[in-house]
Amino acid sequence: MEALKSGTDVLFILLGGIMVLAMHSGFAFLELGTVRKKSQVNALVKILTDFSVSTIAYFFIGYSLAYGINFFSGAETLLQKNGFELTRFFFLLTFAAAIPAIVSGGIAERARFYPQLAATFLIVGFIYPFFEGIAWNQAYGIQAWLKATYGEEFHDFAGSVVVHAMGGWIALPAVVLLGARHGRYTKEGRLSAHPPSSIPFLALGAWILTVGWFGFNVMSAQTIDKISGLVAMNSLMAMVGGTLVALVAGRNDPGFVHNGPLAGLVAVCAGSDVMHPIGALFVGGVAGGLFVVMFTLTQNRWKIDDVLGVWPLHGLCGAWGGIAAGIFGSRAMAGVGGVAFMPQLLMTGLAVAVALVGSCLVYGLLRAAFGLRLDQEQEYNGADLSIHKITAEPERDPNW
């Protein structure tokens, strides 16, 4: 029975890892559809290479930093419990690699390729696992202190704060340090519209992410005996709430409509195992509205050229989700309980601080050493031609 249990757990978490790996194609197509045509190839190449660099950084450094486990023993040792620890690494790697995928959308169209790969290595190897270990592996005694002080630990079932808020707040300094795309804002202060290059590809990316998110959330149980239908239902309700509020608040704009479910799903990750479905609907709805309002403010009023709106979508909606878990997961709000407001608030604040400091260090040093963005001519020609020497749809010679 023990062998059957371990084998089933391996299959369970492996399927979850595969579903979250598939979400990275969603990141790619969401970015591809949102950027201009001259940057579509770059969007696709970045997501794949960022994932590969993330794997190296997390395998050799990050996973050990977060969990104190490495894979430098023989393969026979690694096979224990059907290789469960290996598949757990794969599953958690897909979470870690979401950080550079999130950042990629914010800095799209003007970032240099290799400095961003270097940033990916440093973020996934050191900054992300530092906070991951605190939140999910009792590192530095912070969770124990929260438990002793407030009666409950910080609760983040599937990463509203650990993954999404960290990713969004890491992206913000990178976006600010890079500056806006040339021509995005005129000297007179007017906004130059850069509409999405392909709504169908944008929608495809959003749908891939939405479907994969049920692996992201449900499989965060990590073992088959802890699987919960409540997580699936709460994910569904938050997705729907985010979509409908974004539809209304965004005045039927398809970009907002397709980011609405993502906002709701970002927010529900933390408390998806403890909220009532009606609470999840509300949390997702607030996230959908928050994204529309804050995306509009950052782009139009504050003139922060966050191309995909990753700071409002992941940074703010993730932080909201972390705090909301302490409210709507409580028994007073028909939740399961086992959560408290202050640990959620304090750890969300800590995540934001770690992300901002780490990002400023990484991107500040890289900008000083190598430079972060393409020059004006390269940006005008587009990241595809400047970096990859080909466009998404190269015109064929008539005599081909």
Side-chain angles (χ1 to χ4, degrees):
M1 288 300 293
E2 184 62 32
L4 179 63
K5 169 71 164 58
S6 63
T8 305
D9 287 341
V10 166
L11 178 61
F12 176 70
I13 200 169
L14 176 62
L15 292 174
I18 291 168
M19 289 182 74
V20 185
L21 175 61
M23 290 176 71
H24 286 263
S25 67
F27 282 120
F29 278 98
L30 187 70
E31 183 174 334
L32 183 157
T34 305
V35 299
R36 290 170 292 180
K37 283 191 174 181
K38 60 184 179 180
S39 298
Q40 289 182 327
V41 171
N42 184 241
L44 295 171
V45 175
K46 274 193 303 179
I47 300 299
L48 183 58
T49 51
D50 272 337
F51 186 89
S52 301
V53 170
S54 297
T55 301
I56 299 300
Y58 202 58
F59 184 86
F60 286 103
I61 304 170
Y63 193 74
S64 179
L65 184 62
Y67 299 102
I69 296 169
N70 63 63
F71 302 108
F72 302 136
S73 51
E76 188 175 357
T77 303
L78 300 180
L79 267 173
Q80 291 178 0
K81 295 184 178 179
N82 299 79
F84 176 79
E85 200 59 50
L86 294 172
T87 48
R88 183 171 181 261
F89 162 80
F90 172 46
F91 180 69
L92 291 170
L93 161 68
T94 59
F95 282 51
I99 303 291
I102 290 166
V103 174
S104 175
I107 63 175
E109 299 209 65
R110 74 273 201 205
R112 293 180 62 203
F113 187 67
Y114 289 105
Q116 173 53 23
L117 289 185
T120 292
F121 186 90
L122 294 171
I123 289 165
V124 177
F126 299 97
I127 296 169
Y128 169 75
F130 171 74
F131 184 77
E132 181 187 18
I134 293 172
W136 285 345
N137 197 43
Q138 303 288 327
Y140 310 111
I142 293 175
Q143 287 280 40
W145 176 80
L146 290 171
K147 176 78 170 178
T149 306
Y150 299 105
E152 298 293 348
E153 294 181 350
F154 168 69
H155 182 86
D156 189 358
F157 182 70
S160 285
V161 175
V162 177
V163 178
H164 298 287
M166 283 286 289
W169 285 93
I170 285 171
L172 182 61
V175 170
V176 172
L177 285 170
L178 270 173
R181 289 168 288 178
H182 286 293
R184 179 66 170 143
Y185 304 107
T186 67
K187 291 180 180 178
E188 296 78 23
R190 291 195 299 270
L191 177 71
S192 175
H194 287 10
S197 60
S198 173
I199 295 297
F201 276 138
L202 186 159
L204 175 63
W207 268 111
I208 293 170
L209 285 165
T210 299
V211 173
W213 224 297
F214 287 84
F216 194 99
N217 284 359
V218 175
M219 266 74 164
S220 285
Q222 299 192 24
T223 54
I224 195 74
D225 58 301
K226 295 175 183 171
I227 191 170
S228 168
L230 181 65
V231 175
M233 179 56 69
N234 285 342
S235 301
L236 176 67
M237 296 299 275
M239 166 206 158
V240 169
T243 303
L244 295 177
V245 173
L247 170 71
V248 175
R251 299 178 182 179
N252 205 18
D253 181 298
F256 286 138
V257 170
H258 286 94
N259 276 283
L262 309 184
L265 285 161
V266 164
V268 83
C269 288
S272 56
D273 63 327
V274 292
M275 292 180 188
H276 189 279
I278 297 174
L281 179 67
F282 180 82
V283 169
V286 169
L290 182 64
F291 172 72
V292 172
V293 171
M294 295 308 296
F295 178 87
T296 305
L297 277 176
T298 53
Q299 297 284 337
N300 298 358
R301 184 172 299 178
W302 300 336
K303 295 181 171 53
I304 298 172
D305 193 14
D306 179 354
V307 181
L308 268 68
V310 297
W311 177 64
L313 180 64
H314 297 275
L316 295 181
C317 292
W320 156 242
I323 295 167
I327 303 170
F328 293 92
S330 66
R331 287 194 170 89
M333 299 295 286
V336 174
V339 293
F341 177 76
M342 283 306 295
Q344 301 302 118
L345 181 66
L346 292 174
M347 281 287 279
T348 299
L350 178 62
V352 170
V354 169
L356 288 176
V357 171
S359 180
C360 287
L361 281 173
V362 168
Y363 285 101
L365 289 171
L366 287 172
R367 186 173 74 162
F370 306 107
L372 287 177
R373 70 177 291 165
L374 301 172
D375 63 40
Q376 191 166 353
E377 183 179 356
Q378 289 174 320
E379 188 181 330
Y380 176 79
N381 291 330
D384 293 355
L385 279 176
S386 299
I387 297 171
H388 309 290
K389 314 304 181 190
I390 193 169
T391 59
E393 299 173 0
E395 294 182 7
R396 290 187 173 184
D397 187 288
N399 298 322
W400 182 272

